[in-house]
Structures are given as C-alpha cells and as structure tokens.
Amino acid sequence: MVEAILITFLIIISSVWILFKRRRNQSRYSVPPRITLKGKISNTLLSPFSRYPRVFDLVFNTSWFIFGHATLPDKPNIFKSLELDDLQNQAVRACGGIDDFGDDWYERAFRRVIERVNSASYSPIGKAAVHNFLTRRLMTRLRFNKELSLESNRGWDRIRVRRPVFVMGLPRTGTTYLHRLLSLDPACRAPLTWELYDPTPRIRAGDNFLSKDERLRVEYIDRATRALLAVTPHLLDCHEMGANLPEECMLAMGMDLPVLFSTFHLLIAKPYDHFEWDGTVVYQNYAKFLQLLQFQAETNKISSKSNKRWVLKAPIHLGLIKYLYKGFPDAHIVWTHRDPREAVASLASFLRSSLDFHEGSSSIHLDELGTDAYHFSQWILQKADTFLSDPDNSSCNRSHVQYRKLVDDPINVVRLLYNEFGYDFTSEYECILKTHLKVEHEKREKSCHGHKYTLDEYDLDEEIIAKDMTWYTDKYLL
C-alpha cells in the first residue's frame, strides 16, 4: 500500500516536473516580436482588417462614398489571401496596361511562394509588405520585358556580360563585406539597390533627365527603407541598407524567383521545395537584366558605369550554381566560408529580424527558427559541395575565402583573389580600400549597437553542429 502511494506520488511529481520544464522551455523559446511602438500600434489598428478582410472593403467603400465620390477606385484589398491572377491584374493596371510577362517559368515559383505566404501567420504590416513585394516584382517583370522591346533599346542583346564575379556563401559568412570591398575597384561595377529594384527609367528626356530619373528612383527606395526601419530598426545591426549601396542579385532575380526579405524566412524550412527546380531561365533572364543595365550606361555615356567588370553577390547562388553557369558560362565564383557554429547562429538571428517585421502579431518560436536555419545551412552547403566536387564541373572557375582571414586582413584577401582572377590590383584600388576600411572602423567604434547572437538562443547545440559539419570544416576551413 505504502509502495503504491509512493509510486503514485513519484509519477505525479514527475508529470508536474515535465509539464513545468516544457512550459519553461516554451516561454524561453517563444518570444514576442521586437518591433517599435509605432509598429505595435499599426498592427493593432489594422488587426480587424487583417482578421476580416471584408471589413476593409466595407470601411473603405463606405468612406469613399461619404466623402462624395461617385465611383469606387480600383483599390486592391491587401489583407485578402493572395492569388497570382489578382496580383498579375494589379500589376498590369499599375503599369498602364502593359501585359507581357514574358516566359511563364515564374508562375510556378510565385504560386508556390504564395501558397506558403497564405498558410503563414503574417501580421497586418507583414501582409501589406509581402503584397507590395510580390506586386512590385511582377510590375518590374512587365516593365523589363517592355524595355527590351523598345526601338530605342535596339542592340541591347549584343552587349556581353564577360567574366562576372559572383560572391556567394552561406548567409552571414561575409558575402556582403567582400562584395562591397570588390565593388570599390574603379574597374568594377556592382549593381546598386535602386538599379536592381527596377531597371526601367521613369524620366527619359529633358534637362538633366538622367540625374532626375535616378533621384526619383532613389527616393522611392529611401522611403521604403525608412518604413522598414520604423518598425524594426535593429535590422541595421544585421545588414547595412541604402539605395546607393551594392545589393544582392535576388532583388532583380525576384521577378522570376521571389525569394527575398518578405519570404525567405518561410522558404528555408523546405528548401528542396523551392530550389530544386531547373533555374536556367532565372539566370538567363538575369543575364539580360545586366545586359540592359550595361547598355543603358553605354548609350547614355555614363563613364563611371561603362565598360566595367560586373561584381555580383547573393548567398542563395550557392544552391543554384549549376544554373548560374548556364546563364554565365565564364563566371568566376567566390565561395566564402565560416565556422558553421557562428554562421548558423548569425543566420537564425537575421531571420528573426525578418519574422519580427512580417509575423509581428504573434509569438516567434526561436527553437523552430534555429532548426530551420540549421537544416537549410546543411542542405545548401552540401548542394554546392556536391556540384563543385564533380569532376565534370572541374572547369568551373572558383575561389574560396575564409571569413576569419577576410576579417583579419581584408586587403590581402582581395589581393590574393585578384591574382586568381588575373586582374591588376592597382595602387589606386589599394588606396581606396585602405580609406574605406579606416572609415568603416571609425563608424564601428562610434556605434553602440552590434549584431549579437548565440546558438543557445535558438535551442542549437554547438557540439552537435560541430560533429555534423566536420566534413565541411575539414574540407574548407582547415
């Protein structure tokens, strides 16, 4: 009898302890989004429309008639579940009736992304942002195809993108840092944010039309950046942003493969669902994109952008190298490497910032985020290694850069890369690098912020990662 009571008591205590531990873990890894008061107020005010999209239509239509308007404007409901057909129609109307989307490869990618977005718990701000992102990518696609067909652009296809350099690597391994160092060479050109977002001029004639057009498009990017930082200012701790800064290829490639800030955190959970397709068309279209930018610079006699070597960058290229070489057969890739224990934690932290902005009305599960970041890292590293280790791909030009060496001695790393590229590392370029690094060092010294993260925050185990990734560290980091 006593024994039975003791056993029962122990079972109860054990059950209570398990529940307590589980709840403690849930509270530890389930955290509220880090957004500003402005973001919280906006999400709260927009919440009824987000939960009940028809309420948005009712309120908008009623207010429109109250203020004396006879007909309703063609205003999309950004809180409804997304449909590609609706987004396409909205893009056509926004572009004044232009309706040639070109090849239809993009539709499969957009539909898959839309499916994931509709099943996610986006906040009201997040819904507005992802709606804008997808619509704008479709608008860029329309304008881009129209631009290629213009009589004034005849000859763009005779432009050659020769020996472009692609910087790639697991996110958070120094790809942005290296890319911006390489972009400082006067002999090189890296596409800027405002150029990648949309290559189509808005102003084509008149006094100083080139500078006016650039200013107009830069101002749009600046407004969008301010809106983003007004909700999640800590994003700047992870990634420096600006209309006139070199940026990732995915901004342009998004018109085919919509994988960027608004959607990337969703897609890494099952990367094989999104990045195992034949991406040849994506890189062929990106080659045309760069041809158009180069054609515009040469036609308008912009000496700072004409006859330059392209320096490009996106971490996601690592999972698509096979198709990159189909679009750019003479490309030289630079693969950056970092201790996976550091890189995975940093990636998880960056993705958390995306979740802060887009899914900011609910809790963020850091343990799930950590698992997704880790599995994605394993997948993309293995995929790149498999391709480059194949003897059939031995002719593909490639270089490797270790993150620690890049941080410790960036100029020497760049000099060694130039030796591999066969480029001239000029004294002018070296002087530019030294000045840039000095300025950046002074900025960091004055900054009170920084990108801080640990594996433990995301329920990741350092020893497990070290063991699982031994093949990678032994091959690329020793």
Side-chain angles (χ1 to χ4, degrees):
M1 181 68 178
V2 175
E3 184 178 346
I5 294 174
L6 287 173
I7 292 174
T8 303
F9 178 74
L10 289 173
I11 290 174
I12 293 173
I13 293 297
S14 298
S15 300
V16 171
W17 171 250
I18 290 172
L19 289 173
F20 171 76
K21 189 173 181 181
R22 186 176 296 170
R23 178 166 294 183
R24 187 180 67 175
N25 286 339
Q26 285 180 339
S27 64
R28 178 183 179 189
Y29 295 115
S30 181
V31 299
R34 301 164 300 173
I35 57 176
T36 60
L37 179 60
K38 181 177 181 179
K40 293 176 181 177
I41 292 174
S42 298
N43 274 333
T44 300
L45 293 177
L46 295 173
S47 181
F49 302 141
S50 181
R51 287 177 175 273
Y52 309 103
R54 290 186 179 181
V55 173
F56 176 82
D57 290 329
L58 177 64
V59 171
F60 181 82
N61 296 343
T62 302
S63 62
W64 192 257
F65 283 121
I66 288 175
F67 286 102
H69 299 283
T71 58
L72 290 172
D74 194 6
K75 183 76 173 178
N77 188 332
I78 60 176
F79 299 111
K80 290 171 57 179
S81 292
L82 299 175
E83 296 287 345
L84 180 57
D85 292 345
D86 291 342
L87 295 175
Q88 288 171 320
N89 291 334
Q90 292 164 25
V92 168
R93 290 194 295 270
C95 290
I98 301 172
D99 60 1
D100 180 15
F101 285 98
D103 62 82
D104 61 0
W105 187 97
Y106 76 99
E107 290 192 358
R108 179 184 179 188
F110 268 76
R111 291 188 193 281
R112 182 61 63 86
V113 168
I114 286 170
E115 179 185 329
R116 296 300 304 276
V117 168
N118 285 338
S119 64
S121 57
Y122 275 63
S123 69
I125 291 177
K127 288 183 178 180
V130 75
H131 181 280
N132 180 71
F133 165 67
L134 294 172
T135 306
R136 291 281 177 178
R137 294 306 86 219
L138 291 170
M139 290 167 61
T140 295
R141 187 177 184 85
L142 288 170
R143 288 178 177 142
F144 172 70
N145 283 297
K146 177 68 174 179
E147 196 71 13
L148 296 184
S149 68
L150 293 179
E151 182 67 23
S152 58
N153 287 329
R154 178 182 292 182
W156 68 265
D157 54 341
R158 291 195 292 270
I159 297 293
R160 290 291 171 262
V161 179
R162 293 187 175 89
R163 298 183 64 200
V165 172
F166 282 86
V167 178
M168 63 189 70
L170 193 65
R172 318 307 301 164
T173 58
T175 54
T176 298
Y177 183 50
L178 178 58
H179 179 232
R180 290 186 178 169
L181 293 179
L182 295 174
S183 72
L184 295 173
D185 187 347
C188 293
R189 179 183 178 186
L192 307 178
T193 303
W194 68 270
E195 294 174 311
L196 287 166
Y197 192 81
D198 191 335
T200 309
R202 301 295 189 273
I203 302 174
R204 299 177 184 270
D207 295 337
N208 302 316
F209 73 95
L210 287 175
S211 59
K212 290 179 181 178
D213 177 67
E214 177 179 336
R215 185 163 57 249
L216 182 67
R217 291 154 71 186
V218 165
E219 286 173 354
Y220 175 82
I221 297 297
D222 285 342
R223 287 196 302 272
T225 302
R226 287 195 296 270
L228 179 64
L229 296 178
V231 178
T232 49
H234 54 278
L235 267 171
L236 282 179
D237 296 336
C238 306
H239 185 76
E240 186 181 13
M241 293 176 285
N244 279 303
L245 289 175
E247 198 43 271
E248 292 192 6
C249 304
M250 291 312 299
L251 200 53
M253 293 167 65
M255 63 181 183
D256 284 298
L257 193 63
V259 180
L260 210 65
F261 184 69
S262 292
T263 58
F264 184 60
H265 64 281
L266 292 178
L267 305 182
I268 66 164
K270 294 182 179 179
Y272 43 83
D273 279 354
H274 315 284
F275 304 120
E276 293 288 2
W277 307 327
D278 187 329
T280 303
V281 172
V282 178
Y283 283 96
Q284 289 174 341
N285 285 340
Y286 187 42
K288 294 177 184 178
F289 193 102
L290 296 175
Q291 284 178 286
L292 179 60
L293 289 183
Q294 197 167 319
F295 176 83
Q296 291 170 344
E298 294 179 11
T299 300
N300 294 314
K301 297 180 172 57
I302 305 175
S303 58
S304 61
K305 297 181 178 180
S306 300
N307 301 313
K308 306 290 185 179
R309 300 187 298 259
W310 284 107
V311 179
L312 310 161
K313 170 255 178 179
I316 203 64
H317 290 316
L318 201 61
L320 301 166
I321 299 178
K322 174 181 179 180
Y323 309 112
L324 184 154
Y325 277 115
K326 290 183 178 181
F328 303 89
D330 60 349
H332 193 123
I333 70 167
V334 180
W335 184 357
T336 56
H337 303 280
R338 186 181 183 184
D339 186 328
R341 293 168 295 185
E342 297 176 1
V344 171
S346 184
L347 172 58
S349 178
F350 174 75
L351 292 172
R352 180 182 177 183
S353 298
S354 178
L355 284 165
D356 286 335
F357 184 88
H358 292 98
E359 301 199 41
S361 59
S362 59
S363 296
I364 296 172
H365 302 286
L366 299 183
D367 50 345
E368 295 176 9
L369 179 57
T371 299
D372 289 343
Y374 182 39
H375 289 167
F376 173 79
S377 300
Q378 289 178 298
W379 172 84
I380 200 169
L381 290 174
Q382 189 66 64
K383 191 170 178 63
D385 177 72
T386 299
F387 177 84
L388 293 176
S389 298
D390 188 334
D392 292 341
N393 301 322
S394 59
S395 62
C396 297
N397 301 315
R398 85 287 299 268
S399 297
H400 299 273
V401 169
Q402 293 185 7
Y403 176 82
R404 187 50 52 199
K405 291 181 179 179
L406 175 63
V407 172
D408 291 343
D409 194 353
I411 292 180
N412 187 53
V413 166
V414 172
R415 183 184 289 108
L416 292 173
L417 281 176
Y418 267 49
N419 288 336
E420 295 183 32
F421 298 161
Y423 294 165
D424 184 18
F425 186 78
T426 65
S427 56
E428 178 190 13
Y429 179 34
E430 183 174 13
C431 182
I432 292 172
L433 285 175
K434 289 179 178 178
T435 301
H436 172 78
L437 291 169
K438 181 180 180 181
V439 171
E440 290 299 305
H441 176 73
E442 291 173 352
K443 285 169 58 176
R444 286 194 300 272
E445 289 290 312
K446 294 178 181 178
S447 175
C448 58
H449 302 287
H451 188 201
K452 300 175 182 178
Y453 45 83
T454 65
L455 286 170
D456 187 57
E457 287 179 76
Y458 302 94
D459 195 26
L460 293 170
D461 188 280
E462 182 175 344
E463 292 183 1
I464 292 176
I465 293 177
K467 181 180 179 180
D468 290 347
M469 302 302 293
T470 298
W471 70 268
Y472 172 76
T473 54
D474 286 352
K475 188 170 184 176
Y476 294 107
L477 289 169
L478 292 182

